[in-house]
């Protein structure tokens, strides 16, 4: 064990010298009862319930999560990419309770409240130019559905109307959520293939961000990838409502990092062919890539910007679809003109969520969060370079404060493990015993900490990840 993993080991298991597997450790009767109920009643997302092993997190504290047995883990996935300021930030807690003392919910259907209005205003101020209109919903998938439907209806009501613009272009291995419209533009086949009969078929262009496979075609280079986009826009000229993409990095695909210039190139093509551009910043928004929004890095302002995960810093479900006056204006008219956007979500614009979101944006400013990132990104890069040296670490892809490691059976050829072995999951489960909670994407192990993580904590997290990969790939 390295010194750092010894440190973590002692932190997680203060009174024991061995390395237990958390799930099978003796636990209190209360924890045992809750684990049994969890297995019995709670159907977990993206989880094979026959194999599910409960871990019950009861508390959070900064970058740490604490289970019902008092064990501490570094939160290496920022609670599914949401907790940008870590857990139980006193100012976010205070914003939430202050709003709760006023009103918890007011409907967004033709009614408003001061907190939600102020939050919308602040979002417009920090968003790329032109995005002046904010439609609130409850989760990332809904933010995508909103953009897809707005884009579709826009062309029906544009001047002149273009009712034949009904199709969407999406990137290979894209992930845009799990509702039916979102999987229509999604391309992670292992999630969506079986549901294809239920949804529409997007026109797909290859992702330029994936790993080089041991066999088969490598991902296209920049010029080739942009040429493929242009071919599609020409071949389907006049039929396309919008192109949707995750800017800079396709997270759920396995941290697929695009070559610099791809976003800018796609945005230029969309302008040239008058195709609307929807940017899904559900994962990249709020600092993850080093800037508030990823699209700033290539100076792109889309027609639609979809935000969710970091929007309320992991406190409450909320999402937003930002758009431009051009889109908004096409929906104006009297009730009798039938141009209204008949779409909404009951919890859209919830004031508790808005209060936390607003305070989160103040924290970005007061704590100089974005300014603190370069040092952390560099430190993560150093750790990534070291971990890449492991016998079974293949390609490493980093974008800002997120990195993915592909686990490979054979480093020389890049040959992966049989998927049934779930080495990525094994590595993450092993990392738990070293004090880190991680979530893999297939056989890609991902480190995506809260932006507020300290450099020391980042060292511990990387060491635990490294130890987990070692354990899961030991011969
Ligand atoms: C998580 C995610 C979504 C879906 O968000 P939900 O809140 O889970 O519905 C959409 N797009 C991207 C890029 C995501 O990472």
């Amino acid at each position: 064990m390295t010194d750092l993993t010894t440190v973590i080991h002692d932190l997680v298991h203060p009174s024991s010298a061995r390395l237990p597997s958390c799930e099978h450790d003796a636990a209190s009767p209360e924890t045992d009862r809750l684990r049994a109920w969890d297995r019995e009643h709670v159907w977990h997302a993206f989880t094979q319930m026959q194999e599910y092993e409960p871990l019950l997190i009861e508390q959070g504290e900064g970058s740490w999560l604490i289970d019902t047995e008092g064990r501490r883990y570094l939160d290496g996935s920022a609670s599914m990419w949401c907790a940008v300021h870590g857990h139980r930030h006193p100012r976010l807690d205070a914003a939430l309770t202050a709003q709760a003392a006023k009103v918890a919910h007011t409907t967004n259907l033709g009614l408003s409240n001061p907190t939600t209005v102020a939050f919308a205003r602040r979002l417009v101020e920090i968003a790329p130019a032109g995005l002046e209109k904010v439609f609130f919903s409850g989760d990332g998938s809904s933010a995508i559905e909103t953009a897809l439907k707005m884009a579709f209806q826009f062309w029906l009501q544009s001047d002149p109307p273009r009712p034949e613009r009904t199709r969407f272009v999406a990137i290979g291995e894209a992930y845009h959520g799990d509702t039916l419209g979102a999987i229509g533009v999604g391309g992670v086949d292992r999630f969506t293939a079986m549901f294809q009969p239920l949804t529409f078929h997007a026109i797909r262009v290859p992702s330029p961000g994936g790993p080089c496979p041991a066999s088969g075609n490598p991902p296209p280079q920049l010029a080739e990838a942009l040429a493929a986009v242009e071919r599609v826009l020409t071949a389907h000229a006049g039929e396309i409502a919008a192109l949707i993409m995750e800017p800079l990095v396709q997270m759920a695909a396995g941290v697929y990092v695009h070559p610099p210039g791809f976003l800018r190139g796609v945005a230029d093509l969309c302008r040239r062919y008058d195709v609307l551009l929807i940017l899904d910043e559900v994962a990249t928004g709020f600092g993850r890539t080093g800037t508030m929004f990823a699209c700033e890095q290539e100076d792109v302002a889309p027609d639609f910007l979809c935000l969710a995960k970091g929007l309320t810093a992991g406190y409450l479900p909320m999402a937003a679809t930002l758009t431009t006056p051009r889109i908004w204006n096409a929906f104006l008219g009297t009730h009798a003109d039938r141009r209204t956007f008949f779409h909404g979500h009951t919890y859209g614009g919830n004031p508790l969520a808005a209060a936390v979101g607003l305070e989160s944006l103040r924290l970005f400013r007061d704590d100089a969060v974005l300014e603190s990132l370069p040092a952390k990104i560099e430190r993560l890069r150093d750790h990534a370079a070291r971990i890449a040296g492991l016998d079974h670490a293949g390609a490493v892809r980093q974008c800002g404060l997120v990195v993915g490691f592909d686990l490979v059976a054979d480093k020389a050829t890049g040959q992966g493990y049989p998927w049934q072995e779930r080495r990525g999951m094994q590595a993450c489960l092993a990392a738990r015993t070293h004090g880190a909670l991680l979530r893999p994407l297939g056989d890609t192990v991902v480190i995506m900490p809260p932006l507020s993580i300290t450099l020391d904590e980042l060292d511990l997290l990387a060491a635990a990840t490294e130890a987990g990969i070692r354990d899961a790939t030991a011969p």
Side-chain angles (χ1 to χ4, degrees), residues 38-278:
D38 191 17
R39 279 209 195 84
E40 184 75 16
H41 302 300
V42 185
W43 194 335
H44 289 264
F46 282 91
T47 301
Q48 174 46 258
M49 293 310 298
Q50 186 176 308
E51 298 171 349
Y52 171 67
E53 287 290 347
L55 171 64
L56 301 169
I57 299 297
E58 194 169 40
Q59 290 181 59
E61 192 183 288
S63 303
W64 298 84
L65 290 168
I66 302 156
D67 73 11
T68 46
E69 298 298 297
R71 292 193 193 88
R72 298 165 64 85
Y73 310 85
L74 275 165
D75 184 355
S77 67
S79 289
M80 210 54 241
W81 319 347
C82 297
V84 287
H85 304 297
H87 300 279
R88 293 221 57 209
H89 195 293
R91 280 184 48 185
L92 298 179
D93 290 6
L96 180 60
T97 47
Q99 180 61 43
K102 293 178 187 160
V103 64
H105 189 58
T106 62
T107 178
N108 201 19
L109 278 63
L111 196 76
S112 202
N113 76 81
T115 311
T116 306
V117 173
F119 188 36
R121 173 77 188 179
R122 190 73 194 113
L123 284 172
V124 167
E125 282 167 4
I126 64 167
L131 295 165
E132 297 173 10
K133 315 294 179 183
V134 186
F135 189 98
F136 286 112
S137 54
D139 53 60
S141 306
S142 301
I144 300 296
E145 301 280 347
T146 301
L148 296 174
K149 286 177 71 177
M150 277 182 178
F152 181 91
Q153 188 174 340
F154 167 80
W155 290 113
L156 295 175
Q157 298 173 181
S158 69
D159 181 20
R162 300 242 179 254
E164 62 294 342
R165 287 188 173 258
T166 58
R167 305 202 61 189
F168 292 91
V169 179
I171 311 288
E173 286 87 37
Y175 178 75
H176 297 297
D178 296 325
T179 54
L180 287 174
I183 66 173
V185 287
V188 182
D189 280 348
R190 66 183 190 279
F191 302 158
T192 63
M194 81 174 80
F195 298 111
Q196 276 306 319
L198 296 183
T199 184
F200 56 86
H201 295 269
I203 305 165
R204 208 153 296 278
V205 292
S207 166
C212 274
S215 56
N217 298 327
Q221 302 294 300
L222 176 63
E224 200 187 324
L226 288 174
V229 174
E230 181 151 26
R231 271 198 303 280
V232 159
L233 297 190
T234 324
H236 297 275
E239 294 172 39
I240 299 171
L243 180 149
I244 179 167
M245 70 185 279
E246 301 154 78
L248 301 195
V249 50
Q250 295 176 234
M251 219 62 93
V255 194
Y256 284 15
V257 181
H258 293 162
F262 183 63
L263 171 62
R264 181 71 256 166
V266 169
D268 289 344
L269 287 169
C270 287
R271 285 288 170 271
R272 191 170 327 144
Y273 291 90
D274 201 17
V275 163
L276 299 174
L277 177 62
I278 302 170

Side-chain angles (χ1 to χ4, degrees), residues 385-401:
R386 188 186 69 252
I387 294 172
L390 292 177
D391 288 346
H392 293 282
V396 177
R397 293 176 297 276
Q398 182 177 356
C399 182
L401 203 59

